[in-house]
Amino acid sequence: MGHVLLTGSDHATTASVGSFLANLPEMLGSMAVDPRRLVAVVEFEDGRYVQFWVEPQGLVIAEVISNLNIGDARALSNADEACLRSMGWSEPSPGPNPNWRFEATDVAGLVDLVAMTARAVVEVLGEVATARVSLRTWAMQRESDDESGAVREVARVYYQSSLRDLQRQLDGP
């Protein structure tokens, strides 16, 4: 079985929102059967994002940015949050799950996750097919058999962004 092609956490490929959504089922299906722990982060032009965490045994966790983890991006409205809630996304909470979240453990759940993600991108984040997205994919090494929440926290967009900013400062002009 082949591996998913990875960009690395510091490198991205760009595509249109329409292309990303059209290829989302294949991307997540391939990630779900890959033997590695994988992360995919899809950032939109306005700084908001969706991201995916995939465990080697097939657990797929999708996240949509929340107001707890928004950084400088435009906040979600009450109506946006109500829409995510009605779609079946789990509420964000401080700590290891600061984003709207949905977990799939089987094919039916993965089908739901793809549909929910597409709806969230279009209906809540307001993305249009012709807008650009940046996609980063990478593998995470398993540090231990502990709960993956702490490891997922390290992979989050704003944590990674802060680390890149710190590295630039250390590297100097």
Side-chain angles (χ1 to χ4, degrees), residues 99-122:
N99 290 319
W100 291 89
R101 188 179 83 266
F102 184 80
E103 296 183 11
T105 57
D106 57 19
V107 173
L110 191 57
V111 169
D112 289 343
L113 183 147
V114 168
M116 289 168 62
T117 300
R119 285 189 64 201
V121 166
V122 173

Side-chain angles (χ1 to χ4, degrees), residues 77-95:
S77 69
N78 289 339
D80 293 335
E81 291 181 324
C83 189
L84 288 168
R85 200 173 292 111
S86 72
M87 288 179 201
W89 292 92
S90 296
E91 299 267 348
S93 60

Side-chain angles (χ1 to χ4, degrees), residues 9-168:
S9 61
D10 292 328
H11 298 87
T13 186
T14 59
S16 69
V17 169
S19 177
F20 159 65
L21 293 176
N23 290 295
L24 184 59
E26 182 178 355
M27 181 185 90
L28 291 179
S30 296
M31 290 174 73
V33 297
D34 192 290
R36 298 170 291 179
R37 173 186 278 171
L38 300 175
V39 177
V41 177
V42 181
E43 293 181 79
F44 303 101
E45 291 175 329
D46 66 0
R48 298 191 293 179
Y49 61 89
V50 294
Q51 61 190 14
F52 308 93
W53 177 273
V54 183
E55 290 287 334
Q57 61 273 45
L59 170 66
V60 180
I61 302 171
E63 295 185 359
V64 175
I65 192 170
S66 82
N67 291 341
L68 293 177
N69 198 35
I70 199 84
D72 294 329
R74 184 171 48 90
L76 299 174
S77 69
N78 289 339
D80 293 335
E81 291 181 324
C83 189
L84 288 168
R85 200 173 292 111
S86 72
M87 288 179 201
W89 292 92
S90 296
E91 299 267 348
S93 60
N97 298 308
N99 290 319
W100 291 89
R101 188 179 83 266
F102 184 80
E103 296 183 11
T105 57
D106 57 19
V107 173
L110 191 57
V111 169
D112 289 343
L113 183 147
V114 168
M116 289 168 62
T117 300
R119 285 189 64 201
V121 166
V122 173
E123 297 174 28
V124 174
L125 300 181
E127 296 296 330
V128 295
T130 55
R132 305 300 297 166
V133 298
S134 121
L135 171 67
R136 294 180 291 128
T137 53
W138 69 94
M140 293 289 294
Q141 297 300 315
R142 184 170 207 91
E143 299 296 325
S144 70
D145 289 333
D146 295 337
E147 168 64 36
S148 65
V151 180
R152 285 188 301 120
E153 188 171 349
V154 172
R156 283 204 177 16
V157 169
Y158 290 109
Y159 184 90
Q160 288 290 319
S161 176
S162 296
L163 288 178
R164 285 192 296 274
D165 290 345
L166 178 61
Q167 186 61 49
R168 279 188 221 110

